Amino acid sequence: RPRARERHAAAVADDGMIVSFGRTSPKEALGDVWLWSRSGRWSRVEASGDPPRPRWSHTMTKLDQTFVVAGGRDRDGCVGDLGVLDAATSTWSRP
C-alpha cells in the first residue's frame, strides 16, 4: 500500500487507476508508481529503464498504452523533463 501523499498525479488505466509520485512533505518528493485495481487492491508498479526524478505538482496523461509524466516541482524548484512509462512492458523512457 502506498504512503500517504499529496500533489500526486493519477490517470485511469485499463484495469484501474495509476497514481504517480507526489510528496509527503514540502521537502520529500516521491518517485514511486502504484496501481489501484478495480478489485480494490494496491500494487506497486515495478518498472525498469530511465524513470523521471521524484516530483510533485506534475501532470500525467495516458496515451494508448503509455503514461506521460511532465513537469512539476522538487525541493530545488521547477522540473521541466518528461518521462514515459510503457504499461505493456513496465519500462520508463525519456524522449
Side-chain angles (χ1 to χ4, degrees), residues 42-65:
W42 284 108
S43 58
R44 187 171 184 152
V45 176
E46 300 291 343
S48 60
D50 186 17
R53 68 186 190 213
R55 65 194 63 213
W56 64 80
S57 297
H58 57 292
T59 64
M60 182 173 59
T61 304
K62 182 178 186 232
L63 181 62
D64 297 323
Q65 290 298 311

Side-chain angles (χ1 to χ4, degrees), residues 9-24:
V12 174
D14 292 340
D15 51 352
M17 177 180 64
I18 296 282
V19 173
S20 71
F21 305 154
R23 72 181 191 181
T24 58

Side-chain angles (χ1 to χ4, degrees), residues 11-19 34-39 41 62 67:
V12 174
D14 292 340
D15 51 352
M17 177 180 64
I18 296 282
V19 173
W34 291 82
L35 172 67
W36 174 253
S37 70
R38 294 183 193 279
S39 65
R41 291 185 176 178
K62 182 178 186 232
F67 293 86

Side-chain angles (χ1 to χ4, degrees), residues 74-87:
D74 65 13
R75 67 180 177 181
D76 297 322
C78 292
V79 178
D81 63 345
L82 293 173
V84 178
L85 176 61
D86 183 322

